[in-house]
Structures are given as structure tokens and as C-alpha cells.
């Protein structure tokens, strides 16, 4: 079975003082690990046993135990990569241009991201997604994920309390501010953008390749 807990892309203390070792150890080692383990248990001896995590998320029915576990496993693996030590600040590259086109300025983008992440009632996620040719900020409750839509996830922040409570208690907005100022991995957002562009080019090329074979 290919479902494993991916290692964190940095050391447990690498995001301090913004996210503590204690938070990462519990969040990755217990919460994320439990979602992976639950997914493995639920697909064991089923047709999805050898499917990839992406396939399981896309093919399971929303809000079922399998969807919740698999989507949370996928969302967390994605979230770790959205941060890096010494990250944050101004976006660069293609994403920076699309943010400027859509929101007008970096501060307008930040304000809307803070609002989306801060206003998510209860548990969930805020995302920067590619929607067609423009970027959008959305939020999703519980385990829901843009992976099941036509939108392409570029960046996310986990706003379940387990992501910030040990470090910030009820101050979710301080956690979101630290994420934007010190942690965001814009290289990862640009990487996701370039993958999406390549996929679109491949899709567009496919019909003509088929017609050539006829
Ligand atoms: Fe989480």
C-alpha cells in the first residue's frame, strides 16, 4: 500500500518561534498520522487499496469517514509544504503577478486571506487557488478540499484549532499573521502553478495527438 505519512519537509523546530516543535510534533505525528492510518484502515481489502491518496480523495463521497480521513491526509501533506523556515513576505514569480492582477496589491491580498482564514467558522482551511486563469481565495469547512473541484490548490493554511492552539490559544488571527509574514513558501505556490500550466498544456495537446493517430 502506498499510503504513508510523508515526513515533514523541515525539522520539528524549524518554524520556531512562529510554530513550536510541540505543535508540529503533535500536529504531524499524531493528527496527520491518524488521518493516514484511518485512510489505510478504511481502504484495506477494497478496490481502493492500491489507489493513490489523490484518487481516494477524488473518488470518495464527501463527508463520509473515508473522504474525511483521506482529504485530511492530503490537505495536511499539502499544508506542510506551504511553509518554510524564513518564508513569508512578498510573493514572487507568476503567483505574484496573478495576485497583483486579482487583488491590486499585496496588502489587499493579505487582508482578504486573513478574513477568509479568520472567518472560517469552526474547523477548516483557507486556500489560494488557481481558478481558470485567475487566482482566488476560498475557505473550506472540515476536511473539504479544492482537490475535488476544477480549482487548483496553490497554498493553504490549516485553521483547525490543533494547528495553533498550543502556541496562540484562541488568537487565530495572530497565527494567520505569522503564517503570512514569516512562513509562506511562495516557491511551492509557484511550483503548483507551473504543474497546473503543464497539465493544461498536456490536456490541450491530447485531442490533437489522438486525431493524428486516426
Ligand atoms: Fe491539522
Amino acid at each position: 500500500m502506498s499510503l504513508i505519512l510523508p515526513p515533514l519537509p523541515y525539522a520539528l523546530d524549524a518554524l520556531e518561534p512562529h510554530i513550536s516543535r510541540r505543535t508540529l510534533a503533535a500536529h504531524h505525528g499524531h493528527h496527520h498520522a491518524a488521518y493516514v492510518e484511518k485512510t489505510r484502515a478504511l481502504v484495506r481489502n477494497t478496490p481502493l487499496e492500491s489507489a493513490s491518496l489523490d484518487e481516494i480523495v477524488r473518488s470518495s463521497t464527501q463527508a463520509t469517514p473515508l473522504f474525511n480521513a483521506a482529504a485530511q491526509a492530503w490537505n495536511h501533506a499539502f499544508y506542510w509544504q506551504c511553509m518554510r523556515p524564513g518564508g513569508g513576505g512578498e510573493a514572487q514569480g507568476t503567483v505574484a503577478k496573478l495576485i497583483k492582477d486579482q487583488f491590486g496589491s499585496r496588502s489587499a491580498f493579505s487582508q482578504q486571506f486573513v478574513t477568509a482564514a479568520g472567518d472560517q467558522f469552526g474547523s477548516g482551511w483557507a486556500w489560494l487557488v488557481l481558478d481558470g486563469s485567475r487566482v482566488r481565495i476560498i475557505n473550506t469547512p472540515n476536511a473539504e478540499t479544492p482537490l475535488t473541484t476544477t480549482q487548483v490548490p496553490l497554498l493553504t493554511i490549516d485553521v483547525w484549532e490543533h494547528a495553533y492552539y498550543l502556541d496562540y490559544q484562541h488568537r487565530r488571527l495572530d497565527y494567520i499573521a505569522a503564517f503570512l509574514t514569516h512562513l509562506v513558501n511562495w516557491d511551492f505556490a509557484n511550483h503548483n502553478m507551473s504543474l497546473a500550466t503543464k497539465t493544461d498544456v498536456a490536456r490541450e495537446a491530447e485531442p490533437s495527438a489522438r486525431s493524428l493517430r486516426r
Side-chain angles (χ1 to χ4, degrees), residues 77-197:
F78 188 84
Y79 165 65
W80 306 130
Q81 298 179 79
C82 293
M83 300 183 285
R84 68 176 178 86
E90 292 286 332
Q92 306 102 34
T94 314
V95 167
K97 184 185 177 308
L98 290 183
I99 284 175
K100 182 96 190 324
D101 291 348
Q102 187 63 33
F103 302 100
S105 67
R106 150 83 190 170
S107 67
F109 159 75
S110 293
Q111 276 175 12
Q112 289 193 38
F113 192 85
V114 168
T115 300
D119 285 358
Q120 171 57 45
F121 182 73
S123 300
W125 303 79
W127 305 81
L128 179 69
V129 298
L130 183 64
D131 189 0
S133 58
R134 68 190 188 117
V135 288
R136 290 182 58 197
I137 293 168
I138 62 163
N139 44 351
T140 59
N142 303 317
E144 286 182 26
T145 173
L147 188 64
T148 57
T149 72
T150 56
Q151 297 168 337
V152 177
L154 302 177
L155 209 60
T156 194
I157 181 171
D158 183 345
V159 292
W160 284 57
E161 279 191 349
H162 64 225
Y164 60 88
Y165 204 81
L166 290 174
D167 298 328
Y168 297 91
Q169 291 81 51
H170 61 286
R171 291 175 284 112
R172 185 193 283 187
L173 291 180
D174 289 353
Y175 157 66
I176 300 164
F179 176 88
L180 286 173
T181 309
H182 302 289
L183 298 174
V184 168
N185 183 350
W186 290 113
D187 290 342
F188 182 61
N190 275 304
H191 170 72
N192 293 323
M193 178 79 76
S194 67
L195 284 182
T197 311

Side-chain angles (χ1 to χ4, degrees), residues 25-62:
H27 197 177
H28 177 259
H30 297 303
H31 292 278
H32 186 181
Y35 295 128
V36 173
E37 200 44 51
K38 178 92 172 167
T39 306
R40 287 169 62 91
L42 289 171
V43 298
R44 193 166 290 134
N45 300 322
T46 77
L48 287 173
E49 181 159 18
S50 57
S52 69
L53 186 57
D54 288 41
E55 289 167 335
I56 295 170
V57 174
R58 289 180 208 270
S59 63
S60 54
T61 305
Q62 295 224 354

